[in-house]
Amino acid sequence: MILRAALVLLISALPALADTVVIRNDGGGNINDYLARRAKLARSDAVRIEGKCLSACAIFTTLPNACVAPDAAIGFHGTLPKSGIFAIDLWLDMRMGQYFRGEVRRKYETEWRHLGGSNQFHVITGRQLKRLDPQIRLCPPAKKRGG
């Protein structure tokens, strides 16, 4: 009887543990792949962003179900590689930029998207991101595992 009750409690707790998607140390990638991933993450119960979240990963920070760790490193730059054709490069950058809000969007459009090279980022913390976009939700401290 006790074993059965413990098993029921364990099984009922599993969905709560599995429903938070943790994004940690994500270096970014192809914007089209990240747009598809963003759509999937939007259907998750919760998304927690920790560590580095660079380039295309930054579009996850504005998901309504996402929180950003206060000490996360969020890195911005424009889409790469640049084609050299202004209209195409602007369109690609704005595909990413459309997911930013307020002062983050303004800075992305006027400054950050112009950074060149795959290793050039404007990096800010989760706390700094929240100051630039008050709608960003900061994550509570992560629960320690094992006690």
Side-chain angles (χ1 to χ4, degrees), residues 59-139:
I59 69 172
F60 301 153
T61 63
T62 57
L63 282 163
N65 58 344
C67 71
V68 179
D71 61 348
I74 312 300
F76 298 87
H77 68 168
T79 55
L80 296 171
K82 298 293 184 199
S83 71
I85 301 170
F86 177 79
I88 292 173
D89 293 340
L90 178 64
W91 180 77
L92 287 170
D93 286 348
M94 291 305 103
R95 286 199 70 199
M96 188 155 56
Q98 70 183 320
Y99 293 98
F100 305 137
R101 301 179 292 239
E103 190 65 10
V104 174
R105 186 173 191 156
R106 188 191 70 73
K107 286 184 173 286
Y108 177 79
E109 290 175 354
T110 61
E111 301 171 35
W112 302 341
R113 77 178 187 90
H114 299 291
L115 294 172
S118 60
N119 293 324
Q120 290 184 315
F121 296 95
H122 181 84
V123 179
I124 59 177
T125 66
R127 275 186 206 83
Q128 292 168 318
L129 182 67
K130 171 79 173 168
R131 283 195 289 272
L132 295 173
D133 177 357
Q135 293 180 57
I136 293 293
R137 289 182 335 122
L138 292 178
C139 300

